[in-house]
Amino acid sequence: MPVQCSNCVQRRAVLKRPKTGHSLCKDCFFWAFEEEIHQTIVSAGLFNRGETVAIGASGGKDSTVLAHVMKVLNERYDYGLSLLLLSVDEGITGYRDDSLETVKRNQQQYELPLKIVSYEELYGWTMDAIVKQVGLKNNCTFCGVFRRQALDRGAMMLKVDKICTGHNADDVAETVLMNVLRGDIARLCRCTSISTASDGEGAIPRCKPLKYAYEKEIVLYAYFKKLDYFSTECIYSPNAYRGHARAFLKDLESIRPSSIIDVIHSSETLSIKEGVKMPVQGTCSRCGYISSQALCKSCVLLEGLNRGLPKLGIGKHHRLHGKILAQEPLTEQEEKKLKPVNCNCRL
């Protein structure tokens, strides 16, 4: 027997919400999904009228749904925002070039301006070239650090007031678990913040309107709305550390669907005991970007690549920052530790 929508009790339900368990028709699901994001935006005061907001667009489901919903809500509730799309081309052949075609179609569909910045123009490296040098073990570290800074640089070029990203509830919960497993207290304290802003050059505030939206519901929204998005996983990410946290979280969700929100709420209410030393944020001596060290992670990684010492930015090598800033040569022993280990991995 067909199940009726538990909200309007008029139309046939087409889905059971993973987040709440309610059986809803398409129209009621669309409204509930959009209204929850609207409430998140309003309650957190994410935007102010007249602001220019860059939407981080990758062509994937999260950023495509974010762009669609932001446009809908901006018009429905008259936020008064000027929206545009900002994409980063990491230089991954067979992956990013295809997803950027989706972004270009989204630009036409949503009638929003689009800016694309690339690793090659910003850093002189593509991810394809980086992976050839470092292999498949720590490549996600390079990509994550470079992409974060690339978004900021692109936003500075566009002179936007804020950047909003498609991080969803699953992403946030995974990050919490990763920081717990790493013992990274500083990141654990700030990873659930819905809006982040730091002092320093290029520190444009970021926000996560989809923070409380389940990944499964984002997929359902994109599916029933027939949105145009790119669904292929990055070819270099199978060994990413995040994958282990994701698998664990999915196991928890299958037993207790509220686990995702529970993990987020646990981190939001976390308190650190008095006396724990926390890193002090400053600026990079070389590029002026926000950093808690003399050199930001991006500059250290880039220095390692340019010197043929890719391990320089992997792990803790802060004592070498002085030599890097002074352009001093490293000792033979130091270089030996930082050179890549030859392997037979197939790229």
Side-chain angles (χ1 to χ4, degrees):
M1 183 177 177
V3 178
Q4 293 295 105
C5 173
S6 60
N7 185 54
C8 67
V9 201
Q10 293 178 359
R11 291 179 290 269
R12 180 178 176 179
V14 297
L15 60 89
K16 185 176 182 180
R17 288 193 70 183
K19 187 175 182 178
T20 63
H22 294 153
S23 298
L24 298 177
C25 64
K26 279 198 294 187
D27 290 340
C28 287
F29 170 63
F30 294 155
W31 183 260
F33 184 84
E34 292 163 3
E35 283 302 295
E36 286 176 7
I37 295 171
H38 170 62
Q39 289 304 318
T40 298
I41 291 171
V42 172
S43 61
L46 296 186
F47 309 111
N48 298 308
R49 175 172 290 277
E51 288 184 330
T52 300
V53 179
I55 300 170
S58 66
K61 64 184 185 315
D62 298 318
S63 64
T64 300
V65 167
L66 176 63
H68 176 84
V69 172
M70 283 298 297
K71 182 175 172 63
V72 167
L73 295 179
N74 191 38
E75 294 172 355
R76 181 186 297 169
Y77 293 104
D78 190 24
Y79 289 164
L81 303 177
S82 176
L83 302 175
L84 50 87
L85 302 177
L86 175 59
S87 293
V88 177
D89 180 2
E90 299 95 339
I92 304 175
T93 306
Y95 169 68
R96 184 54 73 208
D97 46 358
D98 291 338
S99 70
L100 284 176
E101 291 303 313
T102 304
V103 174
K104 291 172 184 176
R105 291 196 300 272
N106 290 159
Q107 176 196 12
Q108 301 299 318
Q109 293 157 358
Y110 304 143
E111 299 178 329
L112 297 175
L114 169 65
K115 170 70 176 177
I116 300 175
V117 293
S118 72
Y119 283 7
E120 191 164 26
E121 68 176 91
L122 294 176
Y123 309 114
W125 288 81
T126 64
M127 274 310 296
D128 286 341
I130 291 171
V131 171
K132 282 181 181 178
Q133 184 169 140
V134 307
L136 290 171
K137 188 175 181 182
N138 294 303
N139 55 294
C140 288
T141 298
F142 287 83
C143 195
V145 172
F146 287 163
R147 184 170 59 248
R148 180 176 179 81
Q149 193 178 105
L151 268 177
D152 275 330
R153 290 194 182 186
M156 288 175 67
M157 293 176 196
L158 294 169
K159 295 181 172 58
V160 304
D161 299 297
K162 284 175 184 159
I163 304 169
C164 65
T165 60
H167 292 95
N168 58 49
D170 297 56
D171 296 327
V172 176
E174 288 164 13
T175 303
V176 171
L177 292 175
M178 289 168 66
N179 289 329
V180 168
L181 294 173
R182 287 171 173 158
D184 194 332
I185 302 300
R187 284 193 174 93
L188 183 59
C189 289
R190 63 176 185 262
C191 69
T192 54
S193 298
I194 194 167
S195 183
T196 57
S198 303
D199 297 327
E201 185 181 342
I204 295 174
R206 293 174 179 235
C207 59
K208 302 184 278 269
L210 303 183
K211 177 185 172 182
Y212 297 113
Y214 275 31
E215 183 177 53
K216 286 180 179 177
E217 297 202 351
I218 290 171
V219 172
L220 288 169
Y221 185 88
Y223 173 76
F224 284 114
K225 279 285 186 181
K226 294 182 171 56
L227 300 184
D228 183 5
Y229 68 93
F230 185 75
S231 57
T232 303
E233 286 290 327
C234 176
I235 58 176
Y236 294 142
S237 68
N239 300 320
Y241 185 58
R242 178 174 290 273
H244 301 292
R246 179 177 295 127
F248 178 58
L249 188 65
K250 292 302 179 190
D251 287 341
L252 289 177
E253 185 189 12
S254 66
I255 301 167
R256 179 185 170 93
S258 66
S259 294
I260 294 171
I261 292 296
D262 293 341
V263 169
I264 294 173
H265 287 334
S266 295
S267 183
E268 286 175 334
T269 56
L270 184 72
S271 61
I272 307 301
K273 73 176 183 180
E274 196 174 333
V276 174
K277 188 177 180 181
M278 303 292 278
V280 178
Q281 203 156 71
T283 55
C284 175
S285 301
R286 178 173 291 180
C287 71
Y289 192 69
I290 51 175
S291 175
S292 58
Q293 303 295 329
L295 285 173
C296 69
K297 191 74 169 178
S298 181
C299 282
V300 175
L301 290 170
L302 200 56
E303 183 75 19
L305 288 172
N306 292 333
R307 288 197 184 195
L309 305 170
K311 288 187 179 180
L312 184 62
I314 307 297
K316 299 185 183 297
H317 300 292
H318 302 150
R319 61 187 178 80
L320 299 178
H321 288 189
K323 284 190 173 183
I324 296 172
L325 282 169
Q327 293 293 313
E328 295 177 5
L330 303 181
T331 66
E332 187 176 338
Q333 187 176 5
E334 287 170 339
E335 288 201 1
K336 187 177 180 181
K337 288 181 180 179
L338 300 174
K339 283 182 177 176
V341 178
N342 292 327
C343 64
N344 296 320
C345 54
R346 296 175 64 187
L347 303 183

